[in-house]
Amino acid sequence: MTPEERQRLERERAPLVFITGASSGIGRALAEAYAARGWRLALVARRAEAIQAWLDEAGIGPEQVQVHAADVRDREAIVAAGMRCLIEQGLPDVVIANAGISVGIDTAEREDLAVLEDLYATNVVGMAATFHPFIRPMRLARRGTLVGMASVAAIRGLPGHGGYCGSKAAVVSYCESLRIELRSDGIRVVTLLPGFVDTPLTRGNRYAMPFLLSPREFARRALPVIDRGRRHAVIPWPMGVLTVLMRWLPRRLWDRLTAGRGRKQRRGDPG
């Protein structure tokens, strides 16, 4: 066997990760971390050209990665991307439903009902559509890890943030249900709850963001959690301690503490 044939065989045997929302932020950082491990990549985003730009910059070639242009709100498109991955790259070892949006809403404003619909379509239904193509093949293979990206915002409601908090709380419950459904099939379901991560989604926040992480630091901490198949993990751990306190605070005290907190920007608000 020639060295070139040996390298090609090693590439084909390398594990595979499928990541949505891979054009920036946490998704891109996770892709970079897996690429550094030598994994093959299936990367999905609305802006496929943004993915390709940093792949070119990083020198990651088509022998290691396949890029899919798809919006997770378009169920047919994201399912088609998953099917293409199965056909052309094989069954992923890890599927990370990372794509998400964060925007404030005011229920008194009629146009914000459409924003609420977008939040759930992206953060919840988009996650289910991402997982859907892989569940039957994973059951047959009796292996695989599905990773849902929730948020510490799932723990308690925050002013102006009802759509995002509600959608991420739905993610936590959905992933828990899925984990129980699939536990006898050899499939692991991991729920990640990031604290504050410096991404385009958080840079307009009008409030303090304790324990702020860079996307790369978040990815560095997340990969061992995914490797171990932990059911539920808050990253970073000090935020996990804070979420325990948040969960157990009496409702009256929580309301008082958060009443004056800055509201999340609505769609179209000035920066």
Side-chain angles (χ1 to χ4, degrees), residues 18-22 44-46 69-79 81 96-101 118-131:
F18 183 97
I19 305 173
T20 64
V44 185
R46 290 177 299 161
D71 186 334
V72 297
R73 292 176 299 178
D74 183 339
R75 284 172 292 180
E76 295 304 317
I78 190 62
V79 169
I96 304 177
N98 167 73
I101 58 173
D118 274 353
L119 282 159
Y120 277 83
T122 304
N123 297 350
V124 185
V125 181
M127 175 173 293
T130 298
F131 291 157

Side-chain angles (χ1 to χ4, degrees), residues 155-166:
I155 305 300
R156 300 293 294 258
L158 295 166
H161 225 349
Y164 184 70
C165 291

Side-chain angles (χ1 to χ4, degrees), residues 204-261:
N205 287 349
R206 300 165 172 169
Y207 40 79
M209 295 186 286
F211 314 119
L212 183 69
L213 296 178
S214 70
R216 284 184 176 177
E217 180 59 22
F218 174 84
R220 186 187 71 80
R221 300 184 189 205
L223 261 62
V225 171
I226 298 169
D227 291 343
R228 293 195 297 271
R230 282 182 57 186
R231 294 173 176 85
H232 183 104
V234 179
I235 300 173
W237 71 263
M239 185 61 78
V241 174
L242 187 57
T243 61
V244 173
L245 298 175
M246 290 166 59
R247 185 179 287 113
W248 290 105
L249 275 177
R251 292 184 179 87
R252 182 174 297 180
L253 180 55
W254 178 255
D255 293 352
R256 189 182 311 152
L257 288 173
T258 58
R261 188 176 187 266

Side-chain angles (χ1 to χ4, degrees), residues 87-225:
I87 292 167
E88 299 185 9
Q89 293 178 281
L91 179 64
D93 299 87
V94 176
V95 175
I96 304 177
N98 167 73
I101 58 173
S102 174
V103 62
I105 66 163
D106 183 344
T107 309
E109 301 297 334
R110 178 67 175 268
E111 61 267 26
D112 282 8
L113 297 179
V115 177
L116 182 64
E117 187 174 32
D118 274 353
L119 282 159
Y120 277 83
T122 304
N123 297 350
V124 185
V125 181
M127 175 173 293
T130 298
F131 291 157
H132 165 74
F134 303 109
I135 289 178
R136 282 198 174 97
M138 283 184 173
R139 275 179 165 152
L140 288 171
R142 299 196 61 79
R143 66 174 179 85
T145 300
L146 304 174
V147 182
M149 196 67 67
S151 167
V152 295
I155 305 300
R156 300 293 294 258
L158 295 166
H161 225 349
Y164 184 70
C165 291
S167 69
K168 290 302 186 179
V171 165
V172 172
S173 294
Y174 164 75
C175 286
E176 184 167 53
S177 298
L178 194 63
R179 186 181 72 240
I180 297 166
E181 292 170 22
L182 300 177
R183 67 192 298 260
S184 63
D185 295 307
I187 303 170
R188 302 186 297 186
V189 179
V190 176
T191 309
L192 296 180
L193 288 81
F196 294 110
V197 181
D198 183 17
T199 71
L201 294 183
T202 61
R203 286 172 195 150
N205 287 349
R206 300 165 172 169
Y207 40 79
M209 295 186 286
F211 314 119
L212 183 69
L213 296 178
S214 70
R216 284 184 176 177
E217 180 59 22
F218 174 84
R220 186 187 71 80
R221 300 184 189 205
L223 261 62
V225 171

